[in-house]
Amino acid sequence: MAITVLSWFLPWLYSLLTPEAKREPYMAWSPVSNSWVWSMIGDDNRPIIKTLNSANESLAEGLTREQRDSLLPQTYYRDLMAREQLPDTIQGQEVTVPALKHSEVILTSSPRDIVKVQPDLYLIMESMPLRADLEDPKEAMRMLNDGRVEFITMATGEVNPQRSQRFSEAFRIAGFVPPIHDANADITARKQRDDGYMLIDSEGQLFHFKQQAGRPYLTRVKLPEGVHADKAYILEAMDPTHVAFMVDTEGNSYFIDIPGYQVRQLEIPRVDPRSQRITLMGNLFNIVVRAQDASGSQWSAVDSRSLKRLGCYFYHNEKSTVDKAQAWIFPYILTFASTSDSLAYPRYSHWSWRALFLNLILALILLFTEGFGRPSRAARESQLLDEPTQLRPGAAHQLLPVVITLFLGLYSFIPFLLCRNR
């Protein structure tokens, strides 16, 4: 028990006593220079700004914030407007503040929001309310194992049989195969409109589902041959052209566009929303997708119209001095929580052979510490042996703590040292 507790507590205490901020650059694709704009806060808390071409070769360094603003009008148009420096046209397109706002698309996805126990109960909003403003949902929906849908009034807990039958028939006609594999919606009344849910059934088919005037709207999105949906996100951007963002089982990314629910693939490397944090930022000229995990961040830029690749950049997280020192102290780390999910269970990670050097020293200390390899205090007091320094028959079992410490290091050294001669 002591070894298990120390395997968790000591690394936690070490990280608490040695805090260290980790910085990553912010990447954006410039429609003015057709290059990456690389920004990061330096050690002196001053921004380091430079530009990189599509081959990630440095073009210009030491740029000022004003120069960066001019290279990224789609992001810093408010500052440019205040300085009266917003260009009239870029790449043949007219640039206005309403056009820039209307084209903004932002999406964030965390593995913790995906890898968790789902309640299989989905709140349903009215997408066409009687009043102009959206209202908080009053009903919840669940799908039974036989494919039937039940609508439950949250205020009373009663099932609405008429609505349940109507929606069950809509799911049957659309060819939805239960159970629901994935469902995504933004359940809040603080938005311009409600586009409902993007649903994925057990066979990887994608559906757009919402409630309009109390009636079901359920449309199957025809995916390309051999494509099976794994995760889909409803976007609800100001520009309704992009309805959803989808990732298939192979990690390929797609936009679902209207009219016609066109499935258009983004030319970016494969992503995994279940292990990577996904950030999508779209504008009038380009779309930048960042896939982030423990190893670093993969930035990809595509043209907003053709979805063709403009550039890719990978930033690798280098180990800090604190992390490197930790590998020489602890042979492994035990945690019960993770940034990748919301489940609690023992997780062993960061196995390090470098800690064997410290483990060997600690094992030798135990070996030559009074109490190991010698008769116990109780044995000497009862005079079971004639010579206090003589090894008892079967005393080889006293070397077991030394062997364990050789592999577990500090985690076993501390309890065994405290328990010597007992």
Side-chain angles (χ1 to χ4, degrees):
M1 180 64 71
I3 291 174
T4 302
V5 172
L6 290 175
S7 298
W8 163 79
F9 177 74
L10 290 181
W12 173 84
L13 181 63
Y14 178 84
S15 63
L16 183 67
L17 298 177
T18 57
E20 190 173 34
K22 294 185 178 180
R23 299 185 178 98
E24 281 197 7
Y26 171 76
M27 305 290 295
W29 188 266
S30 170
V32 177
S33 61
N34 286 321
S35 64
W36 285 113
V37 177
W38 188 99
S39 306
M40 189 167 69
I41 300 299
D43 295 333
D44 56 355
N45 290 326
R46 293 184 179 181
I48 302 173
I49 306 172
K50 59 183 178 180
T51 57
L52 307 172
N53 60 18
S54 58
N56 298 331
E57 299 171 342
S58 179
L59 296 177
E61 298 184 4
L63 300 179
T64 64
R65 290 182 176 178
E66 289 73 20
Q67 291 174 316
R68 177 196 61 187
D69 296 349
S70 299
L71 291 173
L72 301 174
Q74 76 275 18
T75 303
Y76 301 102
Y77 57 84
R78 294 179 179 87
D79 297 325
L80 294 174
M81 280 291 297
R83 299 198 300 265
E84 298 184 353
Q85 295 179 353
L86 185 66
D88 296 330
T89 60
I90 298 177
Q91 296 182 355
Q93 296 189 65
E94 182 182 3
V95 177
T96 62
V97 173
L100 292 172
K101 286 184 177 180
H102 187 72
S103 61
E104 288 181 338
V105 179
I106 299 177
L107 169 68
T108 59
S109 171
S110 172
R112 290 184 63 87
D113 300 330
I114 301 174
V115 187
K116 63 181 181 181
V117 178
Q118 302 291 345
D120 295 330
L121 195 66
Y122 308 97
L123 302 183
I124 300 297
M125 296 184 66
E126 175 55 63
S127 297
M128 296 177 62
L130 297 178
R131 301 177 62 87
D133 296 331
L134 295 174
E135 299 177 356
D136 291 330
K138 297 180 176 59
E139 292 181 315
M141 183 196 80
R142 68 177 178 179
M143 176 168 284
L144 305 179
N145 294 332
D146 57 4
R148 290 185 295 113
V149 174
E150 283 190 344
F151 270 72
I152 305 170
T153 304
M154 292 188 289
T156 62
E158 297 179 351
V159 175
N160 186 328
Q162 292 80 15
R163 200 186 304 276
S164 298
Q165 182 178 1
R166 179 182 297 170
F167 278 73
S168 297
E169 184 67 13
F171 273 83
R172 186 190 65 81
I173 295 175
F176 191 94
V177 181
I180 297 175
H181 170 73
D182 181 72
N184 180 264
D186 183 16
I187 304 298
T188 175
R190 298 180 179 179
K191 55 185 179 180
Q192 293 184 333
R193 68 180 187 280
D194 176 63
D195 283 341
Y197 279 86
M198 295 306 299
L199 298 179
I200 301 176
D201 68 3
S202 60
E203 294 185 349
Q205 300 180 102
L206 181 65
F207 296 83
H208 186 202
F209 166 63
K210 55 184 175 180
Q211 179 180 216
Q212 293 182 330
R215 296 179 178 273
Y217 175 91
L218 185 61
T219 301
R220 178 183 172 184
V221 179
K222 187 176 180 181
L223 301 178
E225 185 69 25
V227 173
H228 300 280
D230 181 54
K231 183 64 185 174
Y233 304 88
I234 201 80
L235 293 178
E236 293 178 338
M238 294 184 64
D239 183 3
T241 301
H242 300 311
V243 177
F245 175 72
M246 185 196 80
V247 180
D248 66 12
T249 53
E250 300 296 326
N252 300 310
S253 303
Y254 305 83
F255 266 142
I256 311 300
D257 293 347
I258 56 174
Y261 289 98
Q262 305 173 53
V263 181
R264 305 174 62 202
Q265 184 173 354
L266 282 69
E267 286 190 358
I268 64 174
R270 295 180 179 181
V271 298
D272 183 8
R274 302 181 186 278
S275 62
Q276 295 176 313
R277 183 176 180 85
I278 308 297
T279 304
L280 183 148
M281 296 167 288
N283 55 71
L284 185 62
F285 307 101
N286 53 68
I287 299 166
V288 176
V289 180
R290 181 182 73 164
Q292 180 186 26
D293 56 21
S295 63
S297 296
Q298 173 75 56
W299 298 82
S300 305
V302 298
D303 184 82
S304 59
R305 288 166 292 183
S306 65
L307 302 184
K308 299 295 184 181
R309 180 181 301 184
L310 297 174
C312 287
Y313 179 83
F314 182 79
Y315 180 81
H316 180 72
N317 289 333
E318 296 183 359
K319 288 188 176 181
S320 63
T321 304
V322 172
D323 293 334
K324 293 178 180 178
Q326 178 180 266
W328 292 87
I329 300 174
F330 305 117
Y332 64 90
I333 293 177
L334 171 64
T335 57
F336 291 89
S338 172
T339 58
S340 299
D341 59 58
S342 57
L343 307 177
Y345 60 87
R347 312 162 192 263
Y348 294 89
S349 60
H350 295 80
W351 297 92
S352 174
W353 61 267
R354 294 179 179 87
L356 290 177
F357 294 101
L358 178 60
N359 295 0
L360 178 60
I361 296 174
L362 298 177
L364 292 176
I365 293 175
L366 282 184
L367 182 63
F368 293 104
T369 298
E370 181 181 1
F372 288 104
R374 299 181 181 181
S376 65
R377 181 186 304 169
R380 292 197 302 268
E381 291 178 354
S382 60
Q383 296 182 352
L384 294 178
L385 297 175
D386 294 336
E387 297 294 336
T389 58
Q390 181 181 353
L391 287 175
R392 293 177 297 163
H397 73 280
Q398 289 186 290
L399 293 176
L400 182 60
V402 177
V403 176
I404 294 177
T405 301
L406 185 60
F407 293 96
L408 302 185
L410 274 174
Y411 303 145
S412 60
F413 173 78
I414 294 175
F416 283 139
L417 187 65
L418 295 176
C419 296
R420 69 183 188 276
N421 292 331
R422 301 188 189 281

